[in-house]
Amino acid sequence: MENVNNFASHDNGNTLRVVRATLEELGYTFYYNVLNAADYNIPQHRQRVYIVCFRNDLNITNFKFPKPIPLTKHLEDVLIQEENQV
């Protein structure tokens, strides 16, 4: 699941706590993190809450969110390239 980054702090964190408690009660392990798209080679500053859950019976206990990937292309790289081709 994903949502706006303020979801994690909405109602002093109570909203996220309720979602987590509900999913855990339903038999899921729960992981969440706020990630920024710009940290994953996407030229857009966009922070989002990502929630990943696994059924407990799958015994997935070592999930890790991906490590950042450096941004390699910027909007000006594309625009400058297009200007040079005209």
Side-chain angles (χ1 to χ4, degrees):
M1 296 178 271
E2 63 89 23
N3 210 315
V4 296
N5 68 327
N6 290 336
F7 183 79
S9 60
H10 180 263
D11 191 24
N12 293 318
N14 289 327
T15 302
L16 184 60
R17 278 191 284 282
V18 168
V19 169
R20 180 181 195 143
T22 301
L23 286 165
E24 288 176 344
E25 184 178 311
L26 291 171
Y28 289 87
T29 57
F30 182 96
Y31 303 88
Y32 89 96
N33 203 347
V34 177
L35 304 175
N36 186 347
D39 293 334
Y40 295 90
N41 201 24
I42 299 171
Q44 179 183 32
H45 177 69
R46 183 178 177 93
Q47 290 185 319
R48 307 291 281 179
V49 170
Y50 291 90
I51 299 171
V52 178
C53 300
F54 299 98
R55 287 190 338 248
N56 290 337
D57 64 307
L58 298 175
N59 295 317
I60 299 172
T61 59
N62 59 350
F63 174 78
K64 302 255 190 273
F65 282 92
K67 293 180 181 180
I69 301 167
L71 184 61
T72 58
K73 194 157 220 158
H74 299 82
L75 181 59
E76 62 259 16
D77 297 333
V78 176
L79 294 177
I80 291 169
Q81 186 179 41
E82 288 178 5
E83 284 179 6
N84 292 335
Q85 292 178 2
V86 175

